[in-house]
Amino acid sequence: MEKSISTMDREFFRAADAAKGHNDFVAQATGVCLSFGAQQVLDNVSLSIKPGKAVLLRGDNGSGKSSLLNIISGFLRPDKGQIHLRLNGSPVNVSTTSPERLARLGVGRLWQDIRLFPTMSVIENVLAATPRLLGQNPLMAMAAWPISRRQERQARERAHHHLYLMGMEDRDNSSGDKLSLGQMKRVALARLLQGGASLLLLDEPLAGLDQVSAASLLETLKMLRSKEGKTLLIVEHQHEKVSGLCDETWYLSGGKLSFNGVHS
């Protein structure tokens, strides 16, 4: 069961609000440690991501980049340390919140393994991420049928809009298994937008794409940041392609996080 926000967390956010402008953040981690057996993956990592910023997270294979994304999105619990998020006006302690609730509050995770439903259409894949629909509960759908129908119509309109933003509006009826890898990534991004994501954690979004598809997707990420106001944390080995989009570059090495060459 998810815990309500604790007194300590309330004090944390009260202090952060008092320092707003100096301490404004979407995600903030303090003293995060993670080990797998005897291997220290993250060693006293602290960070802060500002609203509307784009950050490139670099490091060698096995340096803990994906693990850090998994911790921020709630799929891994750190051995030590705290992660706080401020999403769509809601203060959240990641350690006491489920990944499902974090997703509802605005954390969007793009995996290396694109997880579309292969036999569902593109529009159905995006609609599946729509939160809090009455129609998801058969009893509620029958009890409030006009409201449920209106919600479904509005959700479909939003899904078409998000596919339009991704340049995928003409493939809305294609099945998920008929898409190229680049198209699948765009549908996955549209699905994150449909779910209300404001913080996008992107794990190698350009991997496996040819030059044309990679350049096109990079322009889409720039649009998401500049026009849609999304905050981006990007893990990408093709860092030279992403660096122009990002405000900061972070490095993970030996469990330590450094910022543009300066250790935390």
Side-chain angles (χ1 to χ4, degrees):
M1 179 181 293
E2 296 167 11
K3 302 175 184 177
S4 60
I5 188 166
S6 69
T7 300
M8 184 178 297
D9 291 327
R10 291 182 193 280
E11 291 174 355
F12 172 88
F13 283 107
R14 191 178 297 116
D17 288 336
K20 204 153 189 178
H22 302 285
N23 197 26
D24 195 16
F25 64 88
V26 171
Q28 185 163 299
T30 306
V32 171
C33 297
L34 178 70
S35 297
F36 295 127
Q39 182 184 4
Q40 182 86 43
V41 179
L42 301 174
D43 184 6
N44 199 33
V45 167
S46 297
L47 59 86
S48 182
I49 306 175
K50 305 297 183 183
K53 298 297 184 180
V55 175
L56 170 61
L57 178 60
R58 293 182 58 185
D60 294 335
N61 288 333
S63 61
K65 302 184 301 297
S66 294
S67 293
L68 184 55
L69 296 192
N70 288 339
I71 286 174
I72 295 173
S73 53
F75 288 96
L76 269 179
R77 299 299 188 200
D79 302 323
K80 183 180 177 183
Q82 293 289 320
I83 307 97
H84 292 92
L85 307 179
R86 186 184 279 116
L87 301 165
N88 300 320
S90 299
V92 184
N93 183 334
V94 171
S95 297
T96 58
T97 309
S98 70
E100 293 79 13
R101 183 163 184 264
L102 288 172
R104 292 196 299 271
L105 291 172
V107 177
R109 182 78 158 83
L110 184 68
W111 304 84
Q112 293 182 39
D113 176 21
I114 304 300
R115 303 178 182 188
L116 298 186
F117 299 108
T119 60
M120 291 170 58
S121 69
V122 164
I123 190 71
E124 288 170 339
N125 266 278
V126 177
L127 284 169
T130 309
R132 294 180 289 275
L133 285 178
L134 289 176
Q136 294 170 346
N137 183 318
L139 293 178
M140 291 296 294
M142 289 188 291
W145 184 82
I147 298 175
S148 175
R149 292 291 294 170
R150 183 172 69 250
Q151 281 187 338
E152 290 178 10
R153 183 174 65 253
Q154 293 169 343
R156 187 169 288 271
E157 290 171 355
R158 292 198 306 275
H160 279 293
H161 174 66
H162 294 142
L163 286 172
Y164 168 77
L165 290 178
M166 295 298 106
M168 290 292 295
E169 69 276 12
D170 60 339
R171 298 298 302 271
D172 59 346
N173 289 319
S174 299
S175 62
D177 60 353
K178 302 299 182 184
L179 304 178
S180 68
L181 178 59
Q183 290 170 335
M184 291 172 66
K185 292 189 178 191
R186 290 178 177 278
V187 174
L189 284 170
R191 191 163 61 181
L192 295 183
L193 298 180
Q194 186 77 4
S198 57
L199 171 61
L200 302 182
L201 308 175
L202 311 177
D203 203 345
E204 297 194 43
L206 305 185
L209 302 184
D210 59 36
Q211 286 192 342
V212 173
S213 297
S216 178
L217 187 61
L218 187 57
E219 288 302 313
T220 297
L221 297 180
K222 290 179 181 178
M223 176 274 296
L224 288 176
R225 182 199 167 191
S226 62
K227 294 185 179 180
E228 298 297 314
K230 306 302 180 184
T231 303
L232 311 178
L233 178 56
I234 306 171
V235 169
E236 180 55 65
H237 285 294
Q238 301 178 67
H239 52 84
E240 70 285 350
K241 294 182 179 179
V242 180
S243 57
L245 161 68
C246 297
D247 303 284
E248 299 180 58
T249 300
W250 300 351
Y251 299 84
L252 262 176
S253 179
K256 298 289 188 180
L257 184 67
S258 61
F259 305 88
N260 298 316
V262 179
H263 284 283
S264 62

